[in-house]
Amino acid sequence: MNTISSKTDIKELTKDELILWLKYKDIKSYRANQILKWIYLRQADTFDVMTDVKKEIRKQLSQHFYIHRLEKARVETSQDGSKKYLFKLSDGKYVESVLIPEKDYYTLCISSQVGCAQGCLFCLTAKGGFIRNLTKGEIIAQVRDVAYDIGGSKRLTNIVMMGMGEPLANFSNVVGAINIITDKDVGLGFSSRRMTVSTSGLVPKLSDLGRETTVNLAISLNATEDKTRDMLMPINRKYPIESLLNACAQYPLMPRRKITFEYILLKGINDSEEDAKRLVRLLKPIRAKINLIPFNTYENSKFECPEESVILHFKDILNKNNYTAIIRHSKGQDISAACGQLRANMIL
Ligand code: SAH
Ligand code: SF4
């Protein structure tokens, strides 16, 4: 938890916890929305500016809490317009967020952990191992601070949790952050239809996510056979493809929504015609769409990206079988925007 001496970052509290605290101080509960609006809608950094909150209440708030803003260690803009933020946390650790411009809105890719414990072989974030979970406040702050930074010129509407870390391994902080980010009464008010959580497949947590939120689900499948997935993603040894896809088939999907399956394409490993056909068969029982992600290479990586023709052929097979399959090149390759690269430049 973020603390300055004995004070707590107020973003660490849920709205209910804030209401409880206010109640304990004999302050009416409607003040909670008022205070949170100042933080998330008006981007207040101190309690002093909250002019419609009584002075006495502001004083009490500032005795117990502070409003943390992330320190921007580096911001880089790519030729394709994407912007990468490297944030330095209060304990000196780093995380990344990537802002991606679409036609008339922005998508923000945020992190859930410093590093990652899942050890996927192709992933740079995995190389530095797991450092720690991000707090709820740190997850929310990536959205709040980037929204502030872009000054509303283009609207930030979509959030994807596809940055560093495995969101479902930091479940309560991730869900707590989603609750604030999607709370219409406090200012950020993102639509849960426009939020996506991406997971490597922590099967027991999937039903919890479906029960506690209505965000979109993305699964990093990345292989169609256990022997390949076991090698690429160690989590598969615990929760093999069949158990993962069974959990997906039972996922409480909202009407008209689909689960996104991410499939990183690695030359000679998972990019064959047989793989594409197997993928079609595997996904049959699920309302699914597919994002094909050509491998984004980095220094000393063991893998290569397939030829363009192989990627297109793979996509074609999926499309011919009535799947929406989109090729998603990593954004900002000139500024090392692939998952974990900017941070890796700082620490590895
Ligand atoms: N831990 C979660 C979310 C973060 S990773 C998960 O695994 O889903 C987000 C996505 O980036 C995953 O689909 C992963 O397969 C992909 N990824 C990781 N390293 C990559 C690389 N070098 N090139 C392309 N995609 C990569
Ligand atoms: Fe972690 Fe996702 Fe990278 Fe795997 S792909 S190591 S789960 S961040």
Side-chain angles (χ1 to χ4, degrees), residues 116 118 120 122-124 161-167 198-200 218-220 222 233 262 264 293-298 330 338-339 341:
C116 186
Q118 306 304 321
C120 302
F122 49 80
C123 177
L124 199 54
M161 225 173 255
M162 289 182 190
M164 292 165 45
E166 169 48 55
S198 171
T199 177
S200 56
I219 303 282
S220 296
N222 296 339
M233 304 179 73
E262 292 155 279
I264 184 172
I293 316 174
F295 176 63
N296 196 357
T297 46
Y298 48 84
S330 298
C339 188
Q341 286 190 8

Side-chain angles (χ1 to χ4, degrees), residues 185-231:
D185 293 329
V186 303
L188 288 175
F190 280 85
S191 159
S192 66
R193 272 185 301 116
R194 293 177 175 275
M195 274 201 78
T196 302
V197 169
S198 171
T199 177
S200 56
L202 265 62
V203 168
K205 290 282 175 210
L206 283 179
S207 53
D208 297 343
L209 185 75
R211 202 174 41 248
E212 294 189 31
T213 75
T214 54
V215 294
N216 295 304
L217 176 64
I219 303 282
S220 296
L221 188 61
N222 296 339
T224 59
E225 290 182 302
D226 281 326
K227 65 175 185 331
T228 313
R229 199 167 190 270
D230 280 351
M231 182 264 291

Side-chain angles (χ1 to χ4, degrees), residues 127-192:
K127 302 266 182 270
F130 172 70
I131 313 282
R132 71 166 170 88
N133 281 329
L134 290 184
T135 66
K136 180 150 46 83
E138 287 166 339
I139 298 170
I140 302 168
Q142 295 170 67
V143 179
R144 183 180 97 112
D145 293 6
V146 172
Y148 179 73
D149 201 49
I150 60 177
S153 55
K154 255 192 173 187
R155 291 204 328 126
L156 173 57
T157 55
N158 291 31
I159 311 274
V160 292
M161 225 173 255
M162 289 182 190
M164 292 165 45
E166 169 48 55
L168 299 192
N170 184 14
F171 191 81
S172 61
N173 290 344
V174 162
V175 170
I178 289 170
N179 286 340
I180 290 281
I181 292 168
T182 56
D183 187 333
K184 295 271 178 288
D185 293 329
V186 303
L188 288 175
F190 280 85
S191 159
S192 66

